Amino acid sequence: MARSVAVKKGVKLAKSSNKSSYVLDEQVGFILRQVWQRHSSIFSRDIGTNITPTQWAALSKLAEAGPCSQNQLGRLTAMDVATIKGVIDRLTARGLTETSQDPEDGRRLLVSLTRAGQQLAEKVAPNALAITRETLAPLEPKERETLMALLNKLR
């Protein structure tokens, strides 16, 4: 198969003689998945406790924002209803979160960190920051800043 590569605004566009010019290795989703797999591996190795990235997202957001409804926490952590429910159920079973009635709306439950959850969030935060640094380590400081700005733009 003959193939040439053109560059348009810094993006390689494959031109091939076959019916499809789709090249998996050049697709943003595939590249993002590979970067996520690398980051997840670093996270698992270095987080320092038995916690998943989604559980850490919920714990760290609760530490940052304070008690909130499960629905709101899901929005703040970009998790769908079923995912955030499972995460909170597992964190509650471990004694890291708890629910209580919202004093402003008795129909709503608020999720908050327990004392153990707060302590774990404080203990793990430095590890999480180190994980981010290692994930971005192959980049120069200006490249890190640019990458984060571009990723935030794509949200």
Side-chain angles (χ1 to χ4, degrees), residues 1-5 12-17 21-23 25-26:
M1 165 177 73
R3 193 173 131 191
S4 64
V5 176
K12 288 193 265 182
L13 303 173
K15 292 183 179 179
S16 63
S17 59
S21 62
Y22 187 93
V23 177
D25 289 339
E26 297 172 358

Side-chain angles (χ1 to χ4, degrees), residues 68-79:
C68 59
S69 72
Q70 190 169 284
N71 191 307
Q72 176 67 13
L73 184 59
R75 286 192 302 273
L76 292 172
T77 57
M79 290 183 225

Side-chain angles (χ1 to χ4, degrees), residues 84-135:
I84 193 64
K85 180 183 182 333
V87 166
I88 295 304
D89 287 350
R90 286 184 286 285
L91 291 173
T92 299
R94 292 178 59 182
L96 300 172
T97 58
E98 61 189 0
T99 57
S100 59
Q101 279 195 321
D102 183 340
E104 295 176 14
D105 184 347
R107 298 169 296 171
R108 184 180 4 210
L109 291 177
L110 295 179
V111 179
S112 58
L113 294 177
T114 62
R115 180 180 199 121
Q118 183 65 43
Q119 290 171 341
L120 183 63
E122 290 170 8
K123 176 184 168 192
V124 170
N127 298 4
L129 288 168
I131 290 163
T132 295
R133 282 192 300 273
E134 184 169 344
T135 298

